[in-house]
Short mmCIF file of all heavy atoms in Angstrom, two decimals:
data_model
loop_
_atom_site.label_atom_id
_atom_site.label_comp_id
_atom_site.label_asym_id
_atom_site.label_seq_id
_atom_site.Cartn_x
_atom_site.Cartn_y
_atom_site.Cartn_z
N GLN A 55 -25.36 29.74 -36.69
CA GLN A 55 -24.25 28.81 -36.92
C GLN A 55 -24.72 27.39 -36.65
O GLN A 55 -25.53 27.15 -35.76
CB GLN A 55 -23.05 29.12 -36.01
CG GLN A 55 -22.24 30.30 -36.46
CD GLN A 55 -20.99 30.46 -35.62
OE1 GLN A 55 -21.03 30.43 -34.40
NE2 GLN A 55 -19.87 30.64 -36.29
N ARG A 56 -24.19 26.44 -37.42
CA ARG A 56 -24.47 25.03 -37.19
C ARG A 56 -23.43 24.50 -36.21
O ARG A 56 -22.24 24.65 -36.43
CB ARG A 56 -24.43 24.23 -38.48
CG ARG A 56 -24.78 22.75 -38.28
CD ARG A 56 -24.98 22.02 -39.59
NE ARG A 56 -26.15 22.46 -40.30
CZ ARG A 56 -27.41 22.08 -40.02
NH1 ARG A 56 -27.63 21.25 -39.02
NH2 ARG A 56 -28.42 22.52 -40.72
N VAL A 57 -23.88 23.92 -35.11
CA VAL A 57 -22.99 23.46 -34.05
C VAL A 57 -23.21 21.98 -33.76
O VAL A 57 -24.26 21.42 -34.06
CB VAL A 57 -23.19 24.27 -32.75
CG1 VAL A 57 -22.75 25.71 -32.93
CG2 VAL A 57 -24.62 24.20 -32.27
N LEU A 58 -22.19 21.37 -33.15
CA LEU A 58 -22.27 19.99 -32.71
C LEU A 58 -22.59 19.98 -31.22
O LEU A 58 -21.91 20.65 -30.43
CB LEU A 58 -20.95 19.26 -32.96
CG LEU A 58 -20.86 17.82 -32.45
CD1 LEU A 58 -21.89 16.93 -33.14
CD2 LEU A 58 -19.45 17.28 -32.66
N VAL A 59 -23.63 19.25 -30.84
CA VAL A 59 -24.07 19.17 -29.46
C VAL A 59 -23.99 17.71 -29.02
O VAL A 59 -24.46 16.83 -29.72
CB VAL A 59 -25.52 19.68 -29.31
CG1 VAL A 59 -26.01 19.56 -27.88
CG2 VAL A 59 -25.63 21.12 -29.79
N ILE A 60 -23.35 17.48 -27.88
CA ILE A 60 -23.29 16.13 -27.32
C ILE A 60 -23.86 16.15 -25.91
O ILE A 60 -23.96 17.20 -25.29
CB ILE A 60 -21.86 15.55 -27.31
CG1 ILE A 60 -20.93 16.37 -26.41
CG2 ILE A 60 -21.32 15.42 -28.72
CD1 ILE A 60 -19.60 15.71 -26.17
N ARG A 61 -24.18 14.97 -25.43
CA ARG A 61 -24.71 14.86 -24.07
C ARG A 61 -24.26 13.54 -23.48
O ARG A 61 -24.51 12.48 -24.04
CB ARG A 61 -26.23 14.92 -24.12
CG ARG A 61 -26.87 14.84 -22.76
CD ARG A 61 -28.34 15.05 -22.90
NE ARG A 61 -29.03 14.11 -22.03
CZ ARG A 61 -30.33 14.02 -21.95
NH1 ARG A 61 -31.08 14.77 -22.73
NH2 ARG A 61 -30.89 13.18 -21.16
N GLY A 62 -23.58 13.64 -22.37
CA GLY A 62 -23.19 12.44 -21.64
C GLY A 62 -24.31 12.00 -20.74
O GLY A 62 -25.27 12.74 -20.49
N GLN A 63 -24.21 10.80 -20.23
CA GLN A 63 -25.26 10.27 -19.37
C GLN A 63 -25.43 11.14 -18.14
O GLN A 63 -24.48 11.41 -17.41
CB GLN A 63 -24.93 8.84 -18.96
CG GLN A 63 -26.06 8.18 -18.22
CD GLN A 63 -25.80 6.69 -18.03
OE1 GLN A 63 -24.76 6.19 -18.39
NE2 GLN A 63 -26.75 6.01 -17.43
N GLY A 64 -26.63 11.65 -17.94
CA GLY A 64 -26.93 12.47 -16.79
C GLY A 64 -26.41 13.89 -16.86
O GLY A 64 -26.44 14.61 -15.88
N GLU A 65 -25.91 14.32 -18.01
CA GLU A 65 -25.34 15.66 -18.15
C GLU A 65 -26.24 16.55 -18.99
O GLU A 65 -27.06 16.08 -19.77
CB GLU A 65 -23.96 15.59 -18.80
CG GLU A 65 -22.92 14.88 -17.96
CD GLU A 65 -21.56 14.87 -18.64
OE1 GLU A 65 -21.42 15.44 -19.74
OE2 GLU A 65 -20.64 14.28 -18.07
N ILE A 66 -26.04 17.85 -18.84
CA ILE A 66 -26.72 18.84 -19.66
C ILE A 66 -26.08 18.80 -21.04
O ILE A 66 -24.85 18.70 -21.15
CB ILE A 66 -26.57 20.25 -19.05
CG1 ILE A 66 -27.27 20.30 -17.70
CG2 ILE A 66 -27.12 21.32 -19.98
CD1 ILE A 66 -27.03 21.57 -16.93
N PRO A 67 -26.84 18.88 -22.13
CA PRO A 67 -26.22 18.91 -23.45
C PRO A 67 -25.23 20.07 -23.55
O PRO A 67 -25.40 21.12 -22.94
CB PRO A 67 -27.41 19.15 -24.39
CG PRO A 67 -28.59 18.66 -23.64
CD PRO A 67 -28.30 18.94 -22.19
N ALA A 68 -24.16 19.85 -24.30
CA ALA A 68 -23.10 20.85 -24.42
C ALA A 68 -22.70 21.03 -25.88
O ALA A 68 -22.63 20.07 -26.64
CB ALA A 68 -21.88 20.41 -23.61
N ILE A 69 -22.43 22.28 -26.24
CA ILE A 69 -21.93 22.60 -27.58
C ILE A 69 -20.43 22.39 -27.56
O ILE A 69 -19.73 22.96 -26.72
CB ILE A 69 -22.26 24.06 -27.95
CG1 ILE A 69 -23.78 24.27 -27.95
CG2 ILE A 69 -21.65 24.43 -29.29
CD1 ILE A 69 -24.19 25.72 -28.05
N VAL A 70 -19.92 21.57 -28.48
CA VAL A 70 -18.49 21.27 -28.48
C VAL A 70 -17.77 21.77 -29.72
O VAL A 70 -16.56 21.66 -29.80
CB VAL A 70 -18.23 19.75 -28.30
CG1 VAL A 70 -18.71 19.29 -26.93
CG2 VAL A 70 -18.89 18.95 -29.41
N GLY A 71 -18.49 22.32 -30.67
CA GLY A 71 -17.81 22.83 -31.85
C GLY A 71 -18.79 23.44 -32.82
O GLY A 71 -20.00 23.30 -32.70
N VAL A 72 -18.23 24.13 -33.80
CA VAL A 72 -19.02 24.77 -34.85
C VAL A 72 -18.59 24.19 -36.19
O VAL A 72 -17.42 23.85 -36.37
CB VAL A 72 -18.87 26.31 -34.81
CG1 VAL A 72 -17.45 26.73 -35.11
CG2 VAL A 72 -19.83 26.98 -35.77
N ARG A 73 -19.53 24.04 -37.08
CA ARG A 73 -19.22 23.49 -38.40
C ARG A 73 -18.32 24.45 -39.17
O ARG A 73 -18.56 25.66 -39.20
CB ARG A 73 -20.51 23.26 -39.17
CG ARG A 73 -20.27 22.63 -40.51
CD ARG A 73 -21.56 22.35 -41.21
NE ARG A 73 -21.28 21.70 -42.47
CZ ARG A 73 -22.20 21.15 -43.21
NH1 ARG A 73 -23.45 21.15 -42.80
NH2 ARG A 73 -21.89 20.59 -44.35
N GLN A 74 -17.26 23.93 -39.77
CA GLN A 74 -16.35 24.75 -40.55
C GLN A 74 -17.09 25.31 -41.77
O GLN A 74 -17.95 24.66 -42.33
CB GLN A 74 -15.15 23.92 -41.00
CG GLN A 74 -14.32 23.40 -39.85
CD GLN A 74 -13.71 24.53 -39.03
OE1 GLN A 74 -13.08 25.42 -39.56
NE2 GLN A 74 -13.90 24.46 -37.73
N GLY A 75 -16.70 26.50 -42.16
CA GLY A 75 -17.34 27.14 -43.30
C GLY A 75 -18.51 28.03 -42.93
O GLY A 75 -19.04 28.72 -43.76
N THR A 76 -18.90 28.01 -41.66
CA THR A 76 -19.96 28.92 -41.22
C THR A 76 -19.30 30.23 -40.83
O THR A 76 -18.09 30.29 -40.63
CB THR A 76 -20.74 28.34 -40.02
OG1 THR A 76 -19.85 28.13 -38.93
CG2 THR A 76 -21.42 27.04 -40.38
N PRO A 77 -20.05 31.31 -40.72
CA PRO A 77 -19.44 32.60 -40.36
C PRO A 77 -18.66 32.50 -39.06
O PRO A 77 -19.07 31.82 -38.12
CB PRO A 77 -20.65 33.53 -40.19
CG PRO A 77 -21.74 32.88 -40.97
CD PRO A 77 -21.49 31.41 -40.92
N ARG A 78 -17.51 33.17 -39.03
CA ARG A 78 -16.67 33.15 -37.83
C ARG A 78 -17.26 34.08 -36.77
O ARG A 78 -17.87 35.08 -37.10
CB ARG A 78 -15.26 33.60 -38.17
CG ARG A 78 -14.55 32.58 -39.03
CD ARG A 78 -13.12 32.94 -39.24
NE ARG A 78 -13.05 34.06 -40.17
CZ ARG A 78 -11.95 34.74 -40.43
NH1 ARG A 78 -10.84 34.45 -39.82
NH2 ARG A 78 -11.95 35.72 -41.29
N PRO A 79 -17.04 33.75 -35.50
CA PRO A 79 -17.52 34.64 -34.44
C PRO A 79 -16.77 35.97 -34.49
O PRO A 79 -15.66 36.04 -35.01
CB PRO A 79 -17.21 33.88 -33.15
CG PRO A 79 -16.18 32.88 -33.52
CD PRO A 79 -16.36 32.58 -34.98
N ASP A 80 -17.39 37.01 -33.96
CA ASP A 80 -16.76 38.33 -33.94
C ASP A 80 -15.48 38.32 -33.12
O ASP A 80 -14.54 39.02 -33.43
CB ASP A 80 -17.71 39.37 -33.35
CG ASP A 80 -18.91 39.61 -34.26
OD1 ASP A 80 -18.78 39.40 -35.48
OD2 ASP A 80 -19.96 40.01 -33.74
N ALA A 81 -15.42 37.51 -32.07
CA ALA A 81 -14.24 37.50 -31.21
C ALA A 81 -14.06 36.12 -30.59
O ALA A 81 -15.03 35.45 -30.28
CB ALA A 81 -14.38 38.54 -30.11
N VAL A 82 -12.83 35.73 -30.43
CA VAL A 82 -12.45 34.54 -29.68
C VAL A 82 -11.39 35.00 -28.70
O VAL A 82 -10.35 35.51 -29.10
CB VAL A 82 -11.90 33.42 -30.58
CG1 VAL A 82 -11.42 32.26 -29.74
CG2 VAL A 82 -12.95 32.96 -31.57
N ASP A 83 -11.66 34.89 -27.41
CA ASP A 83 -10.71 35.31 -26.41
C ASP A 83 -9.80 34.15 -26.05
O ASP A 83 -10.25 33.01 -25.95
CB ASP A 83 -11.43 35.78 -25.14
CG ASP A 83 -12.30 37.00 -25.41
OD1 ASP A 83 -11.92 37.81 -26.26
OD2 ASP A 83 -13.34 37.12 -24.75
N VAL A 84 -8.51 34.44 -25.86
CA VAL A 84 -7.55 33.45 -25.41
C VAL A 84 -7.06 33.90 -24.05
O VAL A 84 -6.59 35.02 -23.90
CB VAL A 84 -6.36 33.32 -26.39
CG1 VAL A 84 -5.37 32.30 -25.87
CG2 VAL A 84 -6.86 32.93 -27.77
N GLU A 85 -7.22 33.03 -23.06
CA GLU A 85 -6.79 33.35 -21.71
C GLU A 85 -5.78 32.29 -21.27
O GLU A 85 -6.12 31.12 -21.17
CB GLU A 85 -7.99 33.35 -20.76
CG GLU A 85 -9.02 34.39 -21.13
CD GLU A 85 -10.27 34.29 -20.28
OE1 GLU A 85 -10.31 33.46 -19.36
OE2 GLU A 85 -11.21 35.02 -20.56
N ALA A 86 -4.54 32.70 -21.10
CA ALA A 86 -3.50 31.76 -20.70
C ALA A 86 -2.36 32.52 -20.03
O ALA A 86 -2.21 33.72 -20.23
CB ALA A 86 -2.98 31.02 -21.93
#
Side-chain angles (χ1 to χ4, degrees):
Q55 283 187 311
R56 182 170 292 281
V57 293
L58 176 62
V59 178
I60 63 169
R61 181 174 139 182
Q63 187 170 3
E65 295 181 2
I66 296 172
I69 299 169
V70 295
V72 64
R73 183 177 182 169
Q74 298 297 309
T76 60
R78 291 187 286 171
D80 293 334
V82 175
D83 297 327
V84 179
E85 298 174 4

